[in-house]
């Protein structure tokens, strides 16, 4: 279970580094984020939801039925979208209205 960070998208804001409860994310000499201890990531998704550049994805491994898919989030107002990218290119989008997320 781990995330992957696309350095080409990273703008060096350090939000992911600050929010990771395990201090697993560091920044390199160019200010770009990377995960130093990927095996220790337990998939809380905090860094993914915090990244304003959508540079962080989470691997959905075969053990949870993901078969190599990746997921990242994008935010538009109260709507948090979860985008699942399948290995063959298909993208599934699930929108959650955060204002209503406490209803359930
Ligand atoms: S998913 Fe959670 S534990 Fe894993 S790197 Fe991101 S913030 Fe840290
Ligand atoms: S939150 Fe995103 S843009 Fe900011 S440092 Fe982390 S990966 Fe880079």
């Amino acid at each position: 279970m781990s995330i992957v960070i696309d350095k080409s998208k990273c703008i060096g804001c350090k939000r992911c580094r600050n929010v990771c409860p395990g201090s697993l994310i560091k920044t390199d000499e160019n200010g770009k984020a990377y995960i130093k201890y990927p095996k220790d990531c337990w998939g809380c998704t905090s860094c993914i939801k915090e990244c304003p550049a959508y540079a962080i994805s989470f691997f959905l491994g075969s053990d949870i039925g993901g078969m190599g898919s990746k997921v990242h989030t994008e935010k538009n107002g109260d709507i948090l979208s979860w985008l699942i990218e399948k290995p063959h290119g298909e993208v599934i989008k699930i929108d959650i209205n955060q204002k209503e997320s406490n209803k359930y």
Side-chain angles (χ1 to χ4, degrees):
M1 188 178 283
S2 182
I3 57 154
V4 60
I5 300 175
D6 183 343
K7 281 192 180 183
S8 68
K9 291 184 182 170
C10 175
I11 57 171
C13 70
K14 298 187 175 67
R15 287 192 205 178
C16 56
R17 202 177 88 166
N18 295 338
V19 82
C20 178
S23 302
L24 308 177
I25 301 175
K26 309 293 178 192
T27 40
D28 67 15
E29 63 280 2
N30 297 314
K32 304 275 186 176
Y34 67 97
I35 181 157
K36 186 163 185 187
Y37 308 104
K39 283 185 183 165
D40 292 339
C41 170
W42 62 92
C44 73
T45 71
S46 297
C47 58
I48 298 166
K49 289 184 278 190
E50 200 66 27
C51 179
Y54 311 137
I56 309 177
S57 298
F58 179 70
F59 277 121
L60 299 173
S62 54
D63 52 332
I64 55 170
M67 305 296 284
S69 299
K70 290 187 298 181
V71 62
H72 76 277
T73 61
E74 295 186 7
K75 202 157 186 281
N76 186 6
D78 292 327
I79 306 297
L80 182 69
S81 300
W82 293 80
L83 292 109
I84 301 164
E85 297 166 56
K86 295 195 170 187
H88 56 268
E90 183 188 358
V91 178
I92 298 170
K93 188 170 175 239
I94 301 166
D95 291 334
I96 307 284
N97 187 330
Q98 293 189 298
K99 269 196 174 164
E100 296 177 357
S101 59
N102 287 336
K103 272 188 184 174
Y104 307 103

